[in-house]
Amino acid sequence: MLISTIDYNEYVGRIGIGKIDRGSIRVNQDALLVNHHDGSKKEKVRITKLYEFDGLKKVPVQSASIGSIIALSGIDDLHIGDTVCAVDEPDPIPFQKIEEPTISMNFCVNDSPLAGQEGKYVTSRHIRDRLYRELNTDVSLRVEDTQDTDTFKVSGRGELHLSVLIETMRREGYEFAVSKAEVIYRTDERGKKLEPMEVAYVDVPDEFSGTVIQKLSLRKGELQGMGKTSDGRTRLEFAIPSRGLIGFRNDFMTDTKGTGIINTIFDGYAPYKGDLAYRQQGSLISFETGVAVAYGLFNAQDRGTLFVEPGDKVYSGMVIGQSGKSEDIELNVCKTKHLTNTRSSGADEALKLVPARKLSLEQAIEYIDTDELLEITPQSFRIRKKILDPLLRKRSQISKKDRQG
């Protein structure tokens, strides 16, 4: 039997799920566990529990035969791709190799002024235990401790892979912050820097093909082919670094007015293509802690696109919108109108606000820049600067420019 899925239970430990390819199996039977890498590791084990599936439920059984999809427990060191076979006839089943992670993010304890108000599990111990527990069922995930005890490096197969984990933890009551997704680099035998590459297939109407080619070219993409599809659309094939696709999908849907289709597939590692800017526009940043009011937002909406509405809690260093310019702009959206005894016609009319742009989890992960964090709670998403204090943030930017200069 080839182990194709791993489940986990706190009482019985790891549970292997697969289909019986040959023979039969029964409870308390001795078996041989053969490692999926090279077959060199062989361990004698005993099957303590056996289950078959009735819908979504596991039903305990005493035995099962060829063709049955079963779950078994009692084996501690069990992994996807391992083969459970007869002791006297070890014959491992070939298994497709699982690709290594290409994208990493830092998961850290939320230390913003609004921390701990919405989440149930907020400490580093809670977050660490949950991340390492995920390794029991997700074989493509990697979790590493860092020098900072409140930060953990989590690596996966892409932004979608990590966003599913983030959303699952959020729904379970966890509160934490994540950094910008970054690709995992490698070096060849000569010490040359390598980066993961993707093949992107893009289907767009003819009028948008020029815009898409321009945007992907700016992200170090190379056009490999162009043709027509059966429905009259243009199909573009690009070879592009994985980091060039980070934050691209939102722009892509905007540029193609929601009509474009993009699919990507991992295509190995290639020499580093050079630096690129993730985002062309800056952020609107609150420099005061309090509650956003309509008067302050009305004065701020001309500077860009707002992410907050009247009544939302904000704090100093929190990103409240996207700037219309390339640099960051600090604003006070908690500012109220001063009362006077003067009355004039039209002065007290209702302020008209443009509806705030509410980012989904995937959109927020793509939006944040390298100097920002995404604060995640069971109830809300907030984008913030890593350095909340405006003076310290300015000093950090100056020192960064000096190093680059």
Side-chain angles (χ1 to χ4, degrees), residues 200-209 211-213 216 229 231 233-236 248-264:
Y201 298 95
V202 184
D203 291 351
V204 292
D206 292 343
E207 63 266 28
F208 302 126
S209 59
T211 302
V212 173
I213 292 174
L216 287 177
T229 61
D231 57 355
R233 295 157 67 92
T234 300
R235 172 164 293 174
L236 308 172
F248 173 70
R249 294 182 188 273
N250 283 337
D251 292 342
F252 175 71
M253 297 308 294
T254 301
D255 293 337
T256 62
K257 298 181 180 179
T259 60
I261 301 173
I262 181 170
N263 294 289
T264 61

Side-chain angles (χ1 to χ4, degrees), residues 101-116:
T102 57
I103 297 288
S104 68
M105 299 173 71
N106 286 335
F107 283 52
C108 53
V109 174
N110 181 24
D111 60 355
S112 78
L114 300 180

Side-chain angles (χ1 to χ4, degrees), residues 164-181:
V164 170
L165 171 61
I166 292 171
E167 179 65 21
T168 302
M169 292 177 62
R170 185 182 75 87
R171 295 187 181 190
E172 292 174 355
Y174 287 86
E175 179 179 322
F176 54 98
V178 298
S179 67
K180 177 77 175 179

